[in-house]
Amino acid sequence: MTDNASISRAFFALHHGLPRQGPGSDATTRQLLSYAGALPERPRVLDLGCGPGRSALLLAAEAGAEVTAVDLHEPFLDELRAAAGGRGLAGSITAVNADMGELPYPDGSFDVVWAESSAYSIGFDTALRSWRRLLAPSGALVLTECEWTTDEPSATARAFWERHYALRTGEENLRAATGAGYSVLGVHPQPESDWDEYYGPLAARADAADPGAPGMTEALAATREELATRREHGAEYGYTGYVLRPVNSWPTRPETAADVAAVHAVHAAAFETEAEADLVDALRTDPEAWLPGLSYVAEAPDGSVAAHALLTRCRVDGAPALALAPVATRPEHQGTGAGSAAVRAVLDAARARGERIVLVLGHPSYYPRFGFKPASGYGIRPDFEVPDEAMMALALCGSDDSAQLPRGTITYPGAFGV
C-alpha cells in the first residue's frame, strides 16, 4: 500500500506550477473587488489560502494593495514570490507560511480579508466567525464557497461531496453570513469558465503525469474522479463569491411558522393601532405577494422577536419589484439597532435571490442609511400623492443604472389598499 506522504507529494506534484488552485478568474476577482466599495489608497489585504497567488498579484497591481499572502505550502509561496518579483510587485506582497485557522495578526489589521477557493479548509462558519476580528472598521470579507445549485442533488454528486466537504445551498450560506453579523455587499455566482481555468490545466497535467511515480496512481485516481464528477454533475453545484461587511447587529433569521404571533405582537406594540400587524397577516395569505424567506426577524438576547422587516412582491409597470413594509421594532428595543438589523438582513436575502429593486414609502431621514434614494430618480412613482423624498428605491447588487431597472407606476399588493 502506498503511504499517505507519497500520495500527498504526488498530489502537489500535479498542482505545482498551475496558475490556479481552485475555480476562479481575473474577471471574478475584479467583480468581487468592485463589490467591496471604496477602499483606502493602499488597502491592507490578507489573502488566505493564497496558493500561487493569482488573486494577490492582481490585488497588488490593480488595487494598489499591500498584500499579506498566507498559505501552508511553501512551494506555492515560492511561486508567488518569484511571480511578484518578476512583475515588480515584491514590495507590495509579503508571502507568509501560516495556518489560516491560527492567524497571528492583531484585531483590525486589514481593510480586506480575501479567501478564494480556500475557506473550506476551516469551514464557512468558522471563517465567518474567526476572521471577522481581523477587519478594520468598514473592512470587507471576500470569500468564495462551493454550494449546491439544486434542491435535489443526485445520489452520485451527494456521495462525492459527503466524502470531501459538506455543501449547503446559497440560501443557507447567506443565512449563516447574516446570522454571523454581516451585511452582504455583493453575491457573485461564478461562471463555468472559472472552473475551466482551473480544471483545464489540471486535466492536462494529469494526462502528462507518470503513473508509476510513488503515490501517483492514487493521486491521479482522485483527480480524475473529481474531474468526472464536475463533467457529469456540474449543474448541481458551483462556487459563489460573497462580499461581506460586519455590522454591529442583532442576530437575525427568516421568520418561521412559530413566529407568526410574535411578529403580530411586535407590530401591534410598535404602532398606535393594529393596522400594520393586520397588514402583515393579510400579506402572508396572499400567494401573489408573499415570498417565503423574505420576512426577517431580529432576536432579543432572550430569543424573543425584537424587530421585524418584510419584503413582498409588487410591480413597476408590470415588472417584478419588492416593497419593504411594514418594518417594526418593539418599543423597549427601539433605538438599539434591532430594526436596522432586520432591514439589512432581509435586503441581503433579496440581493442573494437576484432581485433587482426594492421600494419603500418611509421616513427620508431613516431609509437612506440602507442606500435608498428617491424613486423618482429611477423613473418610478406611486399612483397616489406623496412627498418625492418619501418614496424611495434601492437598486440591489450594486446596479445603479436606471436603464437596467423597471420604470413606471408602482402597483402594490391588494392588502395595502392603495
Side-chain angles (χ1 to χ4, degrees):
M1 176 179 281
T2 307
D3 63 276
N4 289 334
S6 294
I7 296 173
S8 180
R9 285 192 294 270
F11 174 83
F12 280 116
L14 286 175
H15 285 256
H16 286 158
L18 297 181
R20 294 186 176 276
Q21 296 301 322
S25 64
D26 289 350
T28 284
T29 299
R30 292 186 182 105
Q31 183 65 58
L32 295 173
L33 180 62
S34 74
Y35 286 146
L39 295 173
E41 184 176 350
R42 291 281 287 168
R44 301 163 297 165
V45 176
L46 178 63
D47 186 2
L48 296 173
C50 64
R54 187 68 174 264
S55 298
L57 293 164
L58 186 149
L59 293 167
E62 298 188 12
E66 297 177 354
V67 182
T68 301
V70 171
D71 204 282
L72 277 172
H73 191 57
E74 192 66 28
F76 287 156
L77 297 174
D78 288 339
E79 291 179 31
L80 173 54
R81 293 183 186 106
R87 301 184 190 191
L89 296 171
S92 298
I93 298 176
T94 302
V96 178
N97 191 313
D99 186 339
M100 69 171 68
E102 299 179 3
L103 294 164
Y105 305 108
D107 294 359
S109 295
F110 299 97
D111 301 299
V112 180
V113 174
W114 198 279
E116 286 193 55
S117 304
S118 61
Y120 74 90
S121 297
I122 61 173
F124 191 74
D125 292 347
T126 301
L128 295 174
R129 183 174 60 252
S130 62
W131 296 345
R132 175 176 176 148
R133 69 170 186 83
L134 299 168
L135 290 169
S138 299
L141 172 60
V142 180
L143 70 171
T144 66
E145 178 75 346
C146 196
E147 56 193 31
W148 294 120
T149 55
T150 177
D151 293 332
E152 297 183 1
S154 65
T156 301
R158 189 176 291 280
F160 173 83
W161 281 105
E162 284 176 350
R163 300 201 315 270
H164 297 282
Y165 185 66
L167 299 192
R168 299 190 297 202
T169 64
E171 182 178 350
E172 290 169 327
N173 285 328
L174 175 78
R175 191 177 305 165
T178 57
Y182 289 88
S183 177
V184 181
L185 304 180
V187 178
H188 177 62
Q190 294 180 229
E192 188 63 27
S193 56
D194 280 14
W195 290 83
D196 295 338
E197 285 210 24
Y198 172 44
Y199 279 157
L202 178 59
R205 180 68 58 79
D207 289 342
D210 176 10
M216 189 57 74
T217 297
E218 291 84 353
L220 284 172
T223 298
R224 286 172 175 151
E225 181 192 18
E226 181 180 346
L227 294 170
T229 301
R230 181 64 193 176
R231 186 169 57 250
E232 296 167 11
H233 300 280
E236 300 175 46
Y237 60 92
Y239 261 93
T240 296
Y242 293 92
V243 183
L244 312 172
R245 175 164 293 150
V247 291
N248 294 323
S249 180
W250 291 58
T252 60
R253 58 174 175 77
E255 169 194 303
T256 69
D259 297 317
V260 171
V263 166
H264 185 100
V266 166
H267 288 274
F271 296 99
E272 293 182 358
T273 72
E274 293 199 12
E276 283 77 11
D278 293 340
L279 173 59
V280 175
D281 293 340
L283 289 167
R284 195 180 284 113
T285 64
D286 181 354
E288 297 297 319
W290 189 261
L291 299 170
L294 292 186
S295 175
Y296 262 72
V297 299
E299 286 189 337
D302 63 1
S304 63
V305 175
H308 174 251
L310 176 63
L311 289 172
T312 53
R313 177 65 71 210
C314 67
R315 302 277 170 179
V316 174
D317 200 27
L322 295 175
L324 174 60
V327 174
T329 303
R330 291 193 67 90
E332 63 268 30
H333 298 304
Q334 290 175 5
T336 65
S340 293
V343 170
R344 288 193 180 94
V346 77
L347 292 175
D348 289 343
R351 187 177 286 112
R353 289 163 61 115
E355 297 285 348
R356 291 192 295 168
I357 192 164
V358 178
L359 304 166
V360 66
L361 175 59
H363 204 292
S365 67
Y366 180 72
Y367 288 99
R369 73 186 64 183
F370 307 107
F372 283 91
K373 301 176 182 179
S376 59
Y378 297 98
I380 298 172
R381 61 189 182 280
D383 63 356
F384 49 89
E385 291 295 323
V386 295
D388 184 70
E389 65 274 14
M391 188 73 248
M392 291 168 277
L394 171 66
L396 298 172
C397 294
S399 174
D400 204 29
D401 181 0
S402 60
Q404 303 297 317
L405 300 171
R407 302 167 65 88
T409 303
I410 307 166
T411 302
Y412 284 96
F416 281 92
V418 294

